Each structure stands twice: as structure tokens, then as C-alpha cells.
Amino acid sequence: MSITQPSLHATNQDLLDAVCEVLDRMYFAALGPAEDAMPAADSALICMQVSFRGTLQGALWMRVYREAAMQLQDDFTAGSSQLALDDAARDAVGELCNIVCGSLLSNLDPHGEYRLDQPLPDKEMPFGGEQPHLSCALSVNDSLVEARLRWSQPQ
Amino acid sequence: MSLKVLIVDDSPLMRRFVERVLRMSGLELAECREATDGLDALAKIRESVPDIVLTDINMPTMDGESLIRCISEDSTMRDIPVIVISTDRTEFRMSRLMELGAKGYVAKPFNPEVLRAQLERVLGMQASA
């Protein structure tokens, strides 16, 4: 699927590449194609969203299984995080969201100007149920990770 | 050379990661302190002057741009080199940070070699074989 929006030309592959780059370089994760579909809802999933404002506005939403998020957190900090387990898992997904979003926007729109909000926990159906412009899923350390991006012109 | 480093980031995980990468890159650290935003960083610098500051940009209370401006305008701090670590690689942001006085820029995602190269360039250190 290829979506063209004003001022931002991007494909699902761009989003997938950004997620893979971050997970590979900073989380030292083993990556592969997603062989199963993620369920619509699962209490074991952590969902986080980072909103951005500037040349365009929108949000990147990601969800990761709690167990996989703990592994990512452990690999990210070499086990030195002093946060409680659930907080650490949420922070790991939030930081992942933040880095992917900033990196992707810089890649796609190097002349743009953006400001990212703090990552926040979100529902399992992002964007008020509206369809994302980009989405991808992949296997990370034998678990599944999903990302969706939606944007619009600032009002 | 043993380095005294101040890491400035509102994310505790990111601070842990940067310290981990510094240690992975083989640099000898005499001191590795942390600050949660620009204001906290200024207080920590006044307590003990670091050899280098590694800072994020997007932080609450006082962001990285304001921190770099404060360091550049303070006669007791302006010689401390600042390297920015950020996801934002847009031309606008990078040129603005360099104008304000940042000496280096490391774009996330990065690996240990990239951070080490920036530190060596900024500090004028000889790269080890």
C-alpha cells in the first residue's frame, strides 16, 4: 500500500524500516517477518502513543506484548533499570515509540519542523477508530510488534 | 583520559542506555551523572563541572535548546562542550542547535561507535586502534 498525503510521501515499508532500524541498533533485538496476525484486543498487550505537532500533526501508535516489552527494556538498559516491572515495560514501549516517530519524521520530511509529546498509554483502537495512513507488524524476539501512523494538516 | 560526563534526558531508560553505550564504547568514565531536564542539569553543573554534557532536546521544564543557550551565555560554563542526542534530524533543528552552541549531534537510533566517534571528535581525543 502506498499513501500520498500533502507534504508527506510514505509507504508502509518506510514505517517498517524505521521500526527495524531502532529495534536493531538500540534494542539489539532479533527481527523477522510477522507470521501471525495480532489479535484485535489482548490484556497482555501494552499500547503506547506519541503525538506530534508542527508541519503536520498526528500520532504514532505501537503495541507490544508485556513479556516482549520486558525483554526489550532489559536489552535496552542491560538490566540496569530500577523501575517497577510494569512501569519499565511501558517505558520501553514509550521510548521505542518516541524514537521511531522522531526518526521517521526526520527521514520523511527533513525540511519539516516537529515537536513530539511525551509517550502516553493508549487504547487498543487508536485514532478514534479511524484508519491509519501507515501500518506494519513484525516479529521481535519471537513475539509480535505492531505500529500505526496517522497524520493530518495542522488546523 | 578519564571522562566526567553529565547525561541529560527526562527518560530514565534513555539515561541508562546512554551510560551503557558509553561503557560499551570503551571510554574510561571517571564520573557519569544524570539530570532529568535542563534546570536539573544546570544545578548539577554548578555542583561539579563535567568534561562534557550529552543532552536530549525534548524535555519538560527546561528543554535542550534552553540548556545549550544557558551554558553558552554563562562565562563559567561556556567551555563545556555539549553534544545533542535526539531523534530530530530535521535541518531546521540541527542548524538551530549548532547556532546556539552545540558542538556535536548524535541522531537516534545510534550505535556505540557513532557516539564514541562524536565524543572523540568533540574532545579532540585520539581514536584508539
Side-chain angles (χ1 to χ4, degrees):
Chain A
M1 181 178 84
S2 177
I3 294 285
T4 301
Q5 287 287 314
S7 304
L8 193 59
H9 305 275
T11 65
N12 289 333
Q13 187 65 42
D14 292 317
L15 177 60
L16 179 63
D17 289 346
V19 175
C20 287
E21 186 181 43
V22 175
L23 285 166
D24 176 53
R25 288 195 191 171
M26 297 185 76
Y27 290 80
F28 312 103
L31 309 176
E35 291 176 358
D36 302 312
M38 236 173 182
D42 188 329
S43 61
L45 282 162
I46 293 173
C47 307
M48 298 290 289
Q49 179 169 291
V50 170
S51 299
F52 57 88
R53 292 165 283 131
T55 310
L56 296 168
Q57 64 184 23
L60 175 74
W61 175 92
M62 295 187 75
R63 59 180 185 161
V64 180
Y65 281 100
R66 181 173 285 103
E67 195 174 322
M70 289 304 306
Q71 179 66 50
L72 290 175
Q73 182 274 141
D74 207 45
D75 292 340
F76 192 67
T77 64
S80 64
S81 171
Q82 295 168 347
L83 296 170
L85 292 182
D86 274 358
D87 291 343
R90 268 194 301 276
D91 270 20
V93 181
E95 197 56 45
L96 174 62
C97 244
N98 184 51
I99 300 171
V100 170
C101 188
S103 177
L104 182 67
L105 290 171
S106 294
N107 286 342
L108 297 178
D109 189 12
H111 305 294
E113 184 184 346
Y114 293 98
R115 189 160 190 95
L116 273 57
D117 292 339
Q118 295 293 313
L120 292 172
D122 200 27
K123 299 168 188 165
E124 295 194 354
M125 183 58 69
F127 316 132
E130 292 194 76
Q131 287 297 305
H133 291 119
L134 303 179
S135 64
C136 72
L138 68 159
S139 163
V140 179
N141 298 334
D142 296 324
S143 186
L144 287 171
V145 169
E146 184 182 13
R148 300 181 191 180
L149 182 77
R150 185 173 173 84
W151 68 85
S152 62
Q153 292 288 342
Q155 310 212 340
Chain B
M1 179 180 175
S2 254
L3 277 181
K4 291 195 286 184
V5 179
L6 179 63
I7 301 168
V8 191
D9 200 304
D10 57 318
S11 162
L13 284 191
M14 198 62 215
R15 296 197 301 271
R16 292 274 91 75
F17 177 78
V18 173
E19 181 175 354
R20 178 192 182 193
V21 167
L22 286 172
R23 295 188 189 284
M24 283 170 72
S25 62
L27 292 162
E28 191 179 335
L29 300 179
E31 186 178 270
C32 192
R33 293 182 300 152
E34 299 178 7
T36 55
D37 59 38
L39 271 185
D40 189 26
L42 291 173
K44 297 267 167 62
I45 292 170
R46 288 188 185 104
E47 285 170 14
S48 170
V49 177
D51 295 314
I52 194 158
V53 173
L54 306 176
T55 185
D56 186 21
I57 290 301
N58 197 9
M59 296 179 287
T61 312
M62 181 191 275
D63 64 16
E65 280 194 16
S66 301
L67 171 63
I68 294 167
R69 188 181 300 110
C70 286
I71 290 174
S72 299
E73 291 174 353
D74 187 316
S75 61
T76 65
M77 297 184 188
R78 67 167 60 114
D79 291 335
I80 305 168
V82 179
I83 292 179
V84 172
I85 299 177
S86 174
T87 57
D88 189 343
R89 299 189 302 274
T90 55
E91 291 171 4
F92 166 83
R93 181 73 75 180
M94 290 181 75
S95 62
R96 179 168 173 75
L97 290 166
M98 293 304 166
E99 279 170 19
L100 285 172
K103 296 292 187 287
Y105 200 101
V106 175
K108 299 179 202 170
F110 62 92
N111 52 35
E113 292 76 23
V114 171
L115 182 58
R116 182 184 176 113
Q118 276 290 309
L119 280 162
E120 287 177 341
R121 185 186 65 77
V122 169
L123 294 168
M125 294 163 65
Q126 290 287 333
S128 59

